[in-house]
Amino acid sequence: GAGVSQSPRYKVTKRGQDVALRCDPISGHVSLYWYRQALGQGPEFLTYFNYEAQQDKSGLPNDRFSAERPEGSISTLTIQRTEQRDSAMYRCASSDRDRGPSPLHFGNGTRLTVT
Amino acid sequence: LAKTTQPISMDSYEGQEVNITCSHNNIATNDYITWYQQFPSQGPRFIIQGYKTKVTNEVASLFIPADRKSSTLSLPRVSLSDTAVYYCLVGYTGTASKLTFGTGTRLQVTL
């Protein structure tokens, strides 16, 4: 596609439910990043992949959060047993290099609301 | 990780030049400086990137002094549509790096 696509655009879930957020990067982009953004704040790093390998997951808040990118393209961020504090905008970005000064291309995000 | 410091907010009138400075005292040799623009309800959008000296594209210029401990994004003749949050990032896409956003600078342009 022309840009990074994220789905769903909005997700409302009840506390305790699991959610899966999907990111479809720009075709051919090898690096994929997940961020979380609270209102009025800058994006907060969660994790990133080069191809299918998860290079850094130090930003994941706790073990309820996980991410995968099994074929080096589409990625899924999963949050288990959601809590109200998980409510935020979740953003995905991709880059065409695994190393070097390559800009990030962001999707429009998934707005997660946990009730 | 190089930490960045930017002004929280700036105001400008339409048609003026706006300069936003970012401090990054701990920048590493391999790090690049990248600026992003973010409108409400949208993801950040790449504006410009540089390593040293001056870089110019169709929308902005980036000035980086020799010590690279700061950088200045220059927006010529801003319009109302330039009202947004601007983020300075220091780092690079790579296996040993994660790209961390600060709180950004909220630019408000008025008539």
Side-chain angles (χ1 to χ4, degrees):
Chain A
V4 177
S5 178
Q6 291 187 246
S7 60
R9 188 75 174 90
Y10 300 93
K11 178 68 177 179
V12 180
T13 190
K14 292 187 176 182
R15 186 181 58 179
Q17 298 294 306
D18 298 350
V19 295
L21 311 181
R22 172 185 165 125
C23 173
D24 195 347
I26 292 173
S27 178
H29 277 200
V30 300
S31 292
L32 186 147
Y33 289 72
W34 281 100
Y35 288 86
R36 179 171 68 176
Q37 187 170 22
L39 199 61
Q41 301 294 316
E44 172 194 9
F45 170 82
L46 296 177
T47 184
Y48 87 94
F49 294 82
N50 280 343
Y51 302 94
E52 72 282 359
Q54 190 171 22
Q55 298 293 333
D56 187 335
K57 57 180 181 179
S58 62
L60 296 177
N62 51 60
D63 60 8
R64 295 186 297 105
F65 287 73
S66 63
E68 63 175 8
R69 193 186 185 199
E71 298 178 359
S73 179
I74 294 170
S75 176
T76 302
L77 177 69
T78 301
I79 309 173
Q80 296 180 312
R81 305 180 302 282
T82 54
E83 301 177 4
Q84 286 187 323
R85 59 177 171 160
D86 300 333
S87 296
M89 177 70 81
Y90 289 83
R91 298 196 185 276
C92 172
S94 69
S95 171
D96 64 356
R97 298 188 206 174
D98 62 349
R99 186 181 296 274
S102 181
L104 299 179
H105 299 263
F106 281 84
N108 283 329
T110 294
R111 168 75 65 189
L112 174 65
T113 302
V114 182
T115 61
Chain B
L1 287 173
K3 179 176 174 167
T4 60
T5 304
Q6 303 174 231
I8 293 175
S9 64
M10 296 181 69
D11 295 309
S12 178
Y13 292 108
E14 197 172 43
Q16 290 188 327
E17 178 184 76
V18 171
N19 296 307
I20 306 174
T21 297
C22 178
S23 297
H24 29 79
N25 291 318
N26 297 324
I27 189 169
T29 303
N30 291 337
D31 287 342
Y32 281 73
I33 301 156
T34 310
W35 285 81
Y36 291 83
Q37 176 191 54
Q38 186 175 26
F39 298 113
S41 302
Q42 295 184 22
R45 183 173 70 107
F46 170 81
I47 303 175
I48 197 167
Q49 183 179 68
Y51 184 81
K52 61 181 179 180
T53 63
K54 176 184 175 182
V55 180
T56 298
N57 62 23
E58 63 276 9
V59 297
S61 294
L62 177 60
F63 298 92
I64 306 169
D67 66 5
R68 303 197 333 120
K69 293 184 183 297
S70 67
S71 58
T72 299
L73 173 72
S74 181
L75 304 171
R77 297 180 300 283
V78 295
S79 64
L80 296 176
S81 62
D82 293 316
T83 294
V85 178
Y86 293 82
Y87 294 99
C88 160
L89 262 72
V90 173
Y92 66 93
T93 304
T95 56
S97 173
K98 59 186 182 186
L99 298 173
T100 301
F101 286 77
T103 55
T105 298
R106 188 170 303 275
L107 173 65
Q108 180 69 52
V109 181
T110 56
L111 290 175

